[in-house]
Amino acid sequence: MVIAFCDRIKSVGYRPMLYCNPNWLCNYLHKDKLINKYDIWLANWGVSAPSYNCAIWHYSENGSVPGISGSVDMNWIFKDYTSTKPSTVKPSTSTKPITNVKSVDYSVKVTAQAGLNVRKRAGTNLGTFFGIHI
């Protein structure tokens, strides 16, 4: 699914990137098929170097930045995204739609309590996200 999704994103002119941690990369995904095909944003905390070759290493969730209260995520970017030219493929809305996907509408009501830190709890137990990071 990850490869099909990323190939689709790339085919319409965007740069796909996979965000995951080493456990998901090794145990739930096809690491050898993904690691050299797509840029990897690896969430790998508490180590002195990332466990795998990656374009971005999310090394801490407990960083600090002057002017920002509370903890912030910290990342090392190993790839120069500023010097790479954008894809020559232009994004298109006329690309043939995927027809074998069931469409479902959802409605969600969210009620937040005072002091709720959605960022802190939102991603701590989830293993992987895949999508476009622009």
Side-chain angles (χ1 to χ4, degrees):
M1 289 189 307
V2 173
I3 292 169
F5 178 85
C6 288
D7 283 347
R8 178 69 169 186
I9 294 303
K10 190 173 184 177
S11 76
V12 294
Y14 296 98
R15 182 192 326 248
M17 179 180 288
L18 173 66
Y19 177 87
C20 61
N21 63 38
N23 178 51
W24 270 83
L25 187 60
C26 291
N27 297 311
Y28 298 97
L29 302 172
H30 293 280
K31 173 184 64 127
D32 297 332
K33 293 180 181 179
L34 295 167
I35 206 157
N36 292 314
K37 187 169 182 163
Y38 301 108
D39 288 349
I40 305 292
W41 186 345
L42 191 65
N44 198 183
W45 306 336
V47 295
S48 60
S51 300
Y52 298 97
N53 185 27
C54 57
I56 302 175
W57 173 29
H58 179 181
Y59 67 90
S60 175
E61 67 170 344
N62 296 315
S64 64
V65 174
I68 298 176
S69 62
S71 298
V72 297
D73 289 352
M74 302 299 284
N75 297 274
W76 281 105
I77 300 176
F78 302 113
K79 185 173 184 177
D80 184 359
Y81 288 101
T82 62
S83 68
T84 56
K85 293 181 180 181
S87 171
T88 56
V89 177
K90 300 289 183 203
S92 170
T93 57
S94 63
T95 303
K96 184 179 175 184
I98 300 171
T99 57
N100 61 344
V101 177
K102 182 180 177 185
S103 176
V104 179
D105 290 326
Y106 291 98
S107 166
V108 178
K109 180 180 179 182
V110 177
T111 305
Q113 297 174 351
L116 176 68
N117 182 338
V118 175
R119 168 54 193 100
K120 188 115 176 120
R121 289 291 95 195
T124 54
N125 292 324
L126 300 175
T128 187
F129 301 94
F130 47 93
I132 308 168
H133 296 264
I134 298 175

